[in-house]
Amino acid sequence: MIEFTNEFLNERYDKYNEKYFNGKVPKVKLEWNNRFTSTVGRCCYDWEMKPYRIEISSKYVRMYPKEFKDIMIHEMIHVLYPEKKHIKFKEVAKQLNEEFEELDVSIYSKQYYWRYKYKCSSCENSFTKARKIPKDHICGHCEGDLQIILDNEKQD
């Protein structure tokens, strides 16, 4: 079970570092981020491209908890290999996926995180958005009224 604490992040970081990287990933600050709407994780670098923090979307992990390990390992690869073209990242991700069958580390998240889902009250067309749309917005198909049917912003 996932605990949304920084202690949980640190415990998992240390555990994954030993198991998948033989303890080679340098320690960085770890934080949950409940503001992410279009990303699931981020490795932050200073001006010299030295990693200093990993942030993981708590909203995304609540929706897709089984992806937590892959997200954390994805960001840990960025800590180990801070590069702009991600050549080494792709090589290491592929190697880890082949060596450990429980992993599915990818460049992008397998699910795209949407904050809002709307449905037309007339034609029942539905669509998703990362940001809230204005209240006077109407359906592009039939000009009917739109209703929010999923609001992930209220989950935190």
Side-chain angles (χ1 to χ4, degrees), residues 47-68:
W47 61 278
E48 294 178 329
M49 281 298 287
K50 287 181 67 179
Y52 67 91
R53 181 176 70 230
I54 288 176
E55 296 175 293
I56 296 180
S57 171
S58 58
K59 291 181 180 182
Y60 186 88
V61 172
R62 275 190 177 87
M63 291 173 69
Y64 307 104
K66 291 180 180 175
E67 289 192 34
F68 171 77

Side-chain angles (χ1 to χ4, degrees), residues 5-99:
T5 64
N6 289 344
E7 292 79 24
F8 175 83
L9 289 174
N10 282 293
E11 287 171 10
R12 293 303 161 108
Y13 187 93
D14 293 341
K15 179 181 175 181
Y16 300 157
N17 193 7
E18 283 305 313
K19 182 173 183 176
Y20 301 111
F21 300 98
N22 297 318
K24 294 179 184 174
V25 184
K27 192 71 173 173
V28 296
K29 185 175 181 176
L30 304 166
E31 297 176 346
W32 291 106
N33 187 319
N34 64 3
R35 296 178 312 276
F36 283 162
T37 59
S38 61
T39 190
V40 298
R42 170 172 66 185
C43 181
C44 302
Y45 304 94
D46 65 15
W47 61 278
E48 294 178 329
M49 281 298 287
K50 287 181 67 179
Y52 67 91
R53 181 176 70 230
I54 288 176
E55 296 175 293
I56 296 180
S57 171
S58 58
K59 291 181 180 182
Y60 186 88
V61 172
R62 275 190 177 87
M63 291 173 69
Y64 307 104
K66 291 180 180 175
E67 289 192 34
F68 171 77
K69 183 189 287 187
D70 294 328
I71 295 166
M72 177 66 87
I73 290 171
H74 173 113
E75 300 308 330
M76 292 173 77
I77 297 170
H78 285 306
V79 170
L80 194 55
Y81 300 103
E83 56 183 356
K84 293 184 179 178
K85 297 199 186 277
H86 306 298
I87 295 165
K88 189 70 173 171
F89 173 91
K90 292 174 186 173
E91 178 185 313
V92 172
K94 182 179 182 216
Q95 177 187 357
L96 287 172
N97 288 335
E98 289 172 357
E99 187 176 342

